[in-house]
Amino acid sequence: PLGNRQEFYNNHLSNCRQHYKSSLVMEKGHASTNIQGGNCDIYEYDRLLMNQRQPMSMQNYTKTGFLKTRAPDDVMELATKFWEE
């Protein structure tokens, strides 16, 4: 149902490289040339590293990762009334 996700990903990076192949970018306060869209690869690499690191720093409140709280009585009353109709 989702199609070929690898092909979609590869096309995305290819289009990024093509679009930014000869642009100037701001890097740490100064302009630098984006050689052949290389910053697309650099930012993608950083995104993948973040995907690896970030989950380790997150705290799950339950086995499924949500904080359980009790809804206020008036909200529960409205929800129950709606559900029963």
Side-chain angles (χ1 to χ4, degrees):
L2 294 176
N4 186 339
R5 301 311 294 163
Q6 184 64 48
E7 183 180 350
F8 178 84
Y9 173 79
N10 291 344
N11 286 338
H12 169 73
L13 282 179
S14 178
N15 290 337
C16 179
R17 291 178 194 119
Q18 182 65 30
H19 181 75
Y20 293 107
K21 68 181 174 182
S22 61
S23 62
L24 288 178
V25 293
M26 292 301 292
E27 194 69 36
K28 297 181 181 173
H30 64 278
S32 63
T33 303
N34 183 3
I35 307 294
Q36 296 299 317
N39 281 347
C40 298
D41 296 302
I42 292 169
Y43 293 135
E44 181 62 10
Y45 179 74
D46 288 344
R47 184 187 72 82
L48 293 173
L49 287 178
M50 177 61 80
N51 286 344
Q52 290 177 336
R53 289 190 307 254
Q54 194 172 30
M56 292 184 281
S57 67
M58 303 307 293
Q59 173 188 355
N60 288 339
Y61 293 100
T62 65
K63 289 181 184 178
T64 54
F66 298 96
L67 174 65
K68 290 183 178 180
T69 61
R70 184 164 174 80
D73 291 337
D74 57 330
V75 172
M76 281 304 297
E77 188 177 318
L78 286 171
T80 301
K81 182 179 177 182
F82 175 79
W83 181 258
E84 291 174 350
E85 289 179 2

